[in-house]
Amino acid sequence: MDPMQPVLELRRIVRDYPGHRAVDHVSLALEPGEFYSLLGPSGCGKTTTLRIVGGFERPDAGDVLLAGAIVNELKPWQRDVSTVFQNYALFPHLSALGNVEFGLRERGVPGRRDRALRALDLVRLADKRDRRPAQLSGGEKQRVALARSLVLEPKLLLLDEPLAALDPALRKQMRAELKAMQRKTGITFLFVTHDQEEALSMSDKVAVMNRGAIEQFGTPEEVYLRPATRFVAGFLGAINWFGQAGVRPESTRLAREKPEGLPCRRAAVESSLFLGNCVHVNAALDDGGRAIAEIPREQNHFREGEIVWMHWDPAAELRFE
Amino acid sequence: MKGRALGIYAGMAIAFLHAPLAILVAFSFNSGRFTVWQGFSLHWYRAAMLDPQLSEGLINSVVIALFASVISTVIGTMAAYGIWRRSAPVLSGTLYLSLVTPEIVTGVSLLALFEWAFRFLHLQLGLYTVVIAHVAFSIAYVTIVISARLRGYDRTLEEAAMDLGASQWRAFSRVTLPAIAPAIAAAGLLALVVSFDDYVITSLVAGVDSETLPMVIYAMARRGVSPVVNAVSALIVVAFGAIVLISQRLQAR
């Protein structure tokens, strides 16, 4: 096989629901061994796209290719992809080990007990192999679901908001684990999320979706620092709009005196939020808009109601047609 | 004060509900023939066991109930699963219609159907027509019990099974079926009970050689109160009580 052959290729996929178009001519090519995210707000079509790849929904137009072959007509059980579902979808009547063995049995893989045990070992759950899903914590269920898919050694692993049901501390820990797991197994991950921090921190490349279409496909740095559209700029983090120019809060500075030779706006401080490592100063612009400046804690000597100048380096401006 | 009043009220309600059964069971152990207590005896139980009509009725009832419950459970499970997979409001509506249709109407309509069919097939009423009739009215019970279970069942479990390599049928048989098995068993027992219990429809569609236990008891009761009827009824109450208990345990799982 050509090593640079895309693991997955979507060609102008369309999916219509009564009254609206859920997926609107989505094209995407994923290379082997990388971690990809499909990022967008709820209802943007990212889950539908994932279900089309998994074979749970059929595209109304366009082609799905896995390792170069069109698979539009193949059922989920005929595709060399596996899905980690948002609610994990573990089989309640089977033990952790039984869940991991399920796919091996269905696919007739020999030596399934050993393989399943190794997969449980990989997610550090070997000692809980006889537990039923109801006896496992959220994070453990998550790892069983992961082991159940990884044990099949699919070309492509689809993850549908798998961290959404976990509490925040565990979610951050699982980010690192998922990323490490992807590197260790070399399986291509396609991770669906609405959380931009998740997508930016884990992915090699991010596809930002809005209203059924991909607005930008690039590395986390590219989509954050050079967003292709206003939507991407706004979705991937807070942004201040100074006329046509968009400036991230961390690039926005505050001063009492009008700075010389820099673009700036007059504003009144409304409030400042202490965030531990920094402070967010919210200010009302003279033209009626609002803006946020993220400044170091020790520089926060601004009082509420005080008139300040918000300024920025022109190189930090994001501009869109 | 309030608690005691409620307790008395509850006691009276329970007595009102169950006094007839208590009297029936009590007099089934009476050595005399009439409703005057004359001493404890198992005489009427012995008489019931030895009555050829009663045993024939019992055998017919059991055979009919077994066939009818197995067939209606299979059909009802498939119906519930189908309705769950793709919502079918008209079909689910007709289920409730069949529950509220008066038995006499169901019985007469089934009889009309058989009479019409017999014009083409050289057959007559018999045990099998009773089985068909019981299947027809049990399906609704089975489907409703299993549908209730499926309402709380997670759809993505089947998708997960298919994702892992199971065909649609394997996903059903290896994941969904084990999950709803207790409901299927409970529905089967319910079908068994309603089949065994039925008099009105059965008496209309039964052939001359296929009298069921309720029909025999009814005929005996009409000829005059016999303590044999009490004894048989008491046995039925115990057997059915056990079945209902098992069924509830299964549904609670």
Side-chain angles (χ1 to χ4, degrees):
Chain A
M1 196 179 90
D2 173 7
M4 278 297 104
Q5 167 118 60
V7 173
L8 168 72
E9 195 180 344
L10 299 179
R11 288 186 185 156
R12 301 181 63 71
I13 296 287
V14 174
R15 175 73 175 141
D16 286 318
Y17 286 150
H20 83 290
R21 175 158 284 186
V23 180
D24 189 5
H25 294 93
V26 162
S27 297
L28 194 65
L30 307 187
E31 280 162 22
E34 302 270 285
F35 196 122
Y36 293 93
S37 285
L38 206 49
L39 172 70
S42 61
C44 73
K46 57 193 192 298
T47 295
T48 307
T49 305
L50 201 73
R51 291 176 59 80
I52 288 171
V53 177
F56 301 110
E57 291 199 31
R58 288 177 57 115
D60 293 308
D63 289 321
V64 181
L65 290 86
L66 289 169
I70 294 182
V71 297
N72 294 7
E73 303 299 320
L74 294 188
K75 302 286 186 191
W77 57 90
Q78 297 163 327
R79 299 185 181 201
D80 193 11
V81 300
S82 192
T83 308
V84 175
F85 292 85
Q86 182 168 6
N87 60 356
Y88 321 131
L90 297 180
F91 307 127
H93 62 294
L94 298 178
S95 65
L97 184 64
N99 268 277
V100 178
E101 279 186 324
F102 187 94
L104 296 170
R105 186 189 306 252
E106 291 304 316
R107 288 170 193 251
V109 178
R112 67 170 180 264
R113 177 59 51 97
D114 287 344
R115 280 169 193 262
L117 286 173
R118 273 205 303 278
L120 275 178
D121 218 25
L122 186 71
V123 297
R124 292 178 285 104
L125 278 177
D127 55 328
K128 301 204 168 150
R129 64 189 191 196
D130 295 324
R131 299 265 183 100
R132 293 287 174 94
Q135 300 166 306
L136 296 171
S137 72
E140 288 166 347
K141 284 184 204 164
Q142 162 79 74
R143 274 144 56 195
V144 173
L146 200 58
R148 183 174 73 171
S149 286
L150 288 177
V151 76
L152 299 173
E153 297 170 9
K155 293 268 178 349
L156 175 63
L157 185 69
L158 308 173
L159 302 105
D160 185 9
E161 306 232 10
L163 307 183
L166 303 177
D167 62 64
L170 192 56
R171 202 179 305 165
K172 288 201 171 157
Q173 182 198 330
M174 282 305 293
R175 277 186 205 167
E177 282 193 29
L178 274 180
K179 175 100 184 185
M181 201 71 72
Q182 191 273 326
R183 289 291 186 254
K184 202 155 155 187
T185 57
I187 293 170
T188 307
F189 277 32
L190 180 55
F191 182 91
V192 159
T193 181
H194 66 267
D195 183 326
Q196 85 276 6
E197 215 179 288
E198 255 171 42
L200 292 177
S201 61
M202 292 194 290
S203 315
D204 295 308
K205 274 180 122 179
V206 180
V208 186
M209 266 188 100
N210 184 33
R211 296 175 179 212
I214 292 180
E215 298 223 346
Q216 190 173 2
F217 182 43
T219 65
E221 288 80 7
E222 279 167 1
V223 294
Y224 186 78
L225 298 174
R226 292 190 295 285
T229 64
R230 275 176 172 259
F231 171 81
V232 174
F235 193 74
L236 281 166
I239 192 157
N240 299 317
W241 292 106
F242 300 117
Q244 285 303 306
V247 181
R248 298 270 185 218
E250 67 267 26
S251 302
T252 306
R253 309 263 170 270
L254 288 181
R256 289 214 167 84
E257 308 297 325
K258 186 173 181 182
E260 289 299 313
L262 283 175
C264 60
R265 286 285 191 287
R266 219 171 78 103
V269 173
E270 287 195 320
S271 62
S272 56
L273 302 180
F274 176 65
L275 298 177
N277 53 350
C278 65
V279 174
H280 277 186
V281 177
N282 296 286
L285 301 173
D286 276 3
D287 64 10
R290 281 193 162 64
I292 301 171
E294 182 179 309
I295 58 174
R297 191 175 55 235
E298 59 277 9
Q299 288 177 19
N300 183 29
H301 39 72
F302 301 97
R303 290 184 313 278
E304 284 175 25
E306 190 174 348
I307 299 299
V308 292
W309 290 90
M310 299 189 114
H311 60 94
W312 59 91
D313 181 346
E317 283 180 12
L318 305 171
R319 286 181 173 275
F320 307 95
E321 270 74 65
Chain B
M1 223 22 238
K2 205 173 170 186
R4 176 177 292 186
L6 266 178
I8 293 170
Y9 174 75
M12 282 166 58
I14 289 169
F16 177 75
L17 274 175
H18 298 303
L21 265 184
I23 289 172
L24 177 134
V25 173
F27 279 103
S28 71
F29 294 110
N30 188 7
S31 61
R33 165 167 280 276
F34 305 102
T35 48
V36 179
W37 187 256
Q38 290 181 319
F40 182 85
S41 156
L42 289 175
H43 171 73
W44 302 114
Y45 284 88
R46 200 174 308 119
M49 307 268 185
L50 295 175
D51 188 311
Q53 266 187 305
L54 279 174
S55 18
E56 199 195 316
L58 176 67
I59 290 167
N60 281 343
S61 277
V62 168
V63 168
I64 291 165
L66 284 178
F67 272 99
S69 59
V70 169
I71 296 169
S72 61
T73 302
V74 171
I75 297 175
T77 303
M78 294 197 294
Y81 182 68
I83 290 169
W84 175 75
R85 291 267 314 183
R86 46 175 74 203
S87 65
V90 176
L91 189 55
S92 356
T94 57
L95 282 177
Y96 287 95
L97 184 66
S98 108
L99 273 193
V100 299
T101 305
E103 275 196 55
I104 188 72
V105 175
T106 308
V108 169
S109 64
L110 280 163
L111 184 60
L113 172 77
F114 290 137
E115 295 292 347
W116 174 78
F118 292 160
R119 284 167 52 194
F120 310 102
L121 311 161
H122 294 283
L123 293 168
Q124 51 190 11
L125 294 174
L127 266 186
Y128 76 97
T129 47
V130 182
V131 170
I132 293 171
H134 284 199
V135 167
F137 72 73
S138 302
I139 287 174
Y141 292 97
V142 173
T143 309
I144 285 165
V145 167
I146 294 171
S147 290
R149 179 72 175 215
L150 281 170
R151 249 195 298 282
Y153 178 69
D154 181 6
R155 220 165 260 275
T156 51
L157 289 179
E158 274 195 5
E159 288 190 348
M162 289 192 254
D163 184 77
L164 294 168
S167 65
Q168 190 132 31
W169 163 251
R170 294 277 299 169
F172 170 74
S173 61
R174 284 211 55 212
V175 175
T176 305
L177 207 54
I180 63 172
I184 293 174
L189 289 177
L190 182 65
L192 197 77
V193 171
V194 292
S195 163
F196 197 90
D197 175 57
D198 184 73
Y199 173 78
V200 176
I201 296 169
T202 312
S203 64
L204 283 164
V205 299
V208 280
D209 59 339
S210 46
E211 283 211 313
T212 62
L213 191 59
M215 290 168 72
V216 176
I217 294 174
Y218 185 73
M220 289 174 89
R222 286 193 62 131
R223 284 200 301 270
V225 181
S226 158
V228 174
V229 173
N230 293 349
V232 174
S233 306
L235 289 174
I236 294 174
V237 167
V238 171
F240 275 41
I243 292 177
V244 169
L245 262 178
I246 295 170
S247 158
Q248 281 182 337
R249 284 274 167 85
L250 287 171
Q251 269 181 297
R253 259 211 232 160

